[in-house]
């Protein structure tokens, strides 16, 4: 066997080992996330690629389309939510996956009785939100949050409540974050992303896009594509 053939064989074996390791990582990620949640997430990724990216950037390869999408988002030219199909938005809204990723408002009201506010220093009304949190045993817990707002009478309560009902927070115990944490040999970007998410909660899509581009992430990567879809598209 010549030296050249030995080198080629070594490279082939190396690629096979890397491929097997990647497949094992994806399998474990999907096991933790759950079968139905994984199917939903794969559907959302494929729909984003085939319905949105392909229409927006017909002359680019898929990985190049992801990169261009992030660049335009940072420049303020990106448009995505209004372009996502109603079918996909409804599927995500009704899915368990949504609750695995986010804690979702269950009810919102304006609390005027300052004795009922956790923030004892507050002497003005605040927006109180009850958040529905899916926990690992499949049941829901409820957390409460308080937020200040531009208080000025008369208050348009319906408008404020509608606004806060659209806000979500991170589900810190959901299968999504547990699946992400299970990934071995995380990239620097993924490590930083998880640390920021754990400390600060929801991250601005523009910040995520900027950090991905600065980190020169691989847009062919299974996990990077899913992060773009969950953190930016939806």
């Amino acid at each position: 066997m010549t030296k050249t053939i030995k080198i080629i064989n070594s490279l082939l074996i190396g690629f096979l080992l890397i491929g097997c390791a990647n497949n094992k990582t994806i399998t474990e990620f999907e096991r933790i996330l759950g079968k139905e949640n994984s199917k939903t997430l794969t559907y959302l990724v494929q729909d984003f690629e085939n319905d949105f990216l392909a229409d927006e950037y017909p002359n680019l390869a898929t990985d190049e389309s992801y990169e261009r999408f992030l660049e335009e988002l940072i420049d303020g030219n990106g448009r995505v939510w209004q372009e996502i199909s109603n079918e996909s938005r409804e599927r995500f809204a009704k899915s368990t996956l949504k609750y695995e990723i986010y804690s979702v408002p269950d009810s919102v009201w304006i609390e005027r009785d300052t004795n009922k506010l956790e923030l004892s220093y507050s002497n003005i009304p605040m927006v109180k939100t009850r958040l529905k949190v899916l926990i690992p045993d499949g049941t829901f817990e409820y957390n409460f949050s308080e937020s200040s707002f531009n208080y000025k009478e008369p208050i348009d309560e319906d408008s404020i409540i509608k606004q806060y009902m659209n806000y979500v927070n991170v589900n810190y115990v959901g299968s999504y974050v547990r699946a992400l944490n299970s990934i071995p040999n995380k990239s620097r970007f993924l490590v930083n992303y998880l640390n920021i998410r754990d400390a600060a909660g929801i991250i601005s899509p523009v910040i995520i896009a900027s950090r991905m581009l600065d980190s020169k992430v691989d847009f062919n990567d299974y996990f990077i594509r899913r992060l773009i879809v969950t953190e930016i598209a939806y």
Side-chain angles (χ1 to χ4, degrees):
M1 184 180 293
T2 66
K3 184 177 180 181
T4 300
I5 293 176
K6 287 182 179 179
I7 292 173
I8 292 173
N9 285 340
S10 296
L11 289 173
L12 288 173
I13 292 171
F15 287 136
L16 286 172
L17 290 174
I18 292 172
C20 289
N22 287 340
N23 289 337
K24 184 178 180 181
T25 299
I26 291 171
T27 298
E28 179 64 7
F29 174 88
E30 293 186 344
R31 183 192 69 79
I32 296 172
L33 185 59
K35 183 178 179 180
E36 287 304 314
N37 292 325
S38 296
K39 285 174 62 177
T40 299
L41 183 51
T42 297
Y43 169 84
L44 297 178
V45 171
Q46 291 175 345
D47 181 74
F48 180 68
E49 292 176 356
N50 299 328
D51 188 57
F52 176 75
L53 292 181
D55 285 346
E56 288 290 305
Y57 316 107
N59 298 320
L60 296 180
T62 304
D63 60 323
E64 295 171 334
S65 297
Y66 272 101
E67 185 172 11
R68 179 67 61 81
F69 167 67
L70 296 188
E71 291 170 346
E72 292 187 353
L73 181 70
I74 292 171
D75 291 338
N77 299 321
R79 55 192 181 89
V80 56
W81 177 245
Q82 65 270 31
E83 301 295 333
I84 297 294
S85 68
N86 288 331
E87 180 183 353
S88 295
R89 282 187 282 183
E90 289 175 7
R91 179 165 178 169
F92 178 65
K94 295 177 181 178
S95 70
T96 304
L97 177 65
K98 177 180 178 179
Y99 291 96
E100 295 289 3
I101 299 174
Y102 301 117
S103 56
V104 179
D106 174 73
S107 57
V108 176
W109 67 97
I110 294 175
E111 184 58 73
R112 288 180 167 81
D113 185 349
T114 55
N115 292 322
K116 295 181 180 179
L117 295 173
E118 296 293 327
L119 300 176
S120 58
Y121 60 80
S122 176
N123 59 2
I124 61 172
M126 299 191 75
V127 177
K128 289 204 72 167
T129 303
R130 189 173 84 154
L131 294 161
K132 193 174 183 180
V133 184
L134 182 62
I135 60 177
D137 67 4
T139 62
F140 287 96
E141 287 186 347
Y142 294 90
N143 295 332
F144 293 86
S145 69
E146 296 175 356
S147 308
S148 60
F149 64 100
N150 186 17
Y151 175 67
K152 184 178 180 181
E153 295 286 359
I155 299 173
D156 184 353
E157 290 197 21
D158 291 341
S159 177
I160 293 171
I161 289 171
K162 182 178 180 180
Q163 177 185 356
Y164 277 83
M165 280 296 292
N166 289 323
Y167 291 166
V168 294
N169 204 345
V170 169
N171 183 345
Y172 292 98
V173 297
S175 64
Y176 180 67
V177 71
R178 287 187 281 115
L180 288 174
N181 280 317
S182 76
I183 300 171
N185 304 317
K186 298 178 184 64
S187 66
R188 181 182 299 178
F189 166 79
L190 185 54
V191 170
N192 289 336
Y193 160 79
L194 289 171
N195 287 339
I196 295 172
R197 190 176 190 268
D198 186 57
I202 298 296
I203 308 171
S204 163
V206 173
I207 291 176
I208 293 175
S210 178
R211 287 179 177 268
M212 281 188 172
L213 293 173
D214 289 345
S215 301
K216 300 186 186 305
V217 299
D218 178 5
F219 291 104
N220 283 310
D221 184 83
Y222 171 95
F223 299 107
I224 291 298
R225 291 187 175 189
R226 276 153 179 74
L227 282 173
I228 291 173
V229 168
T230 57
E231 296 294 331
I232 297 176
Y234 287 86

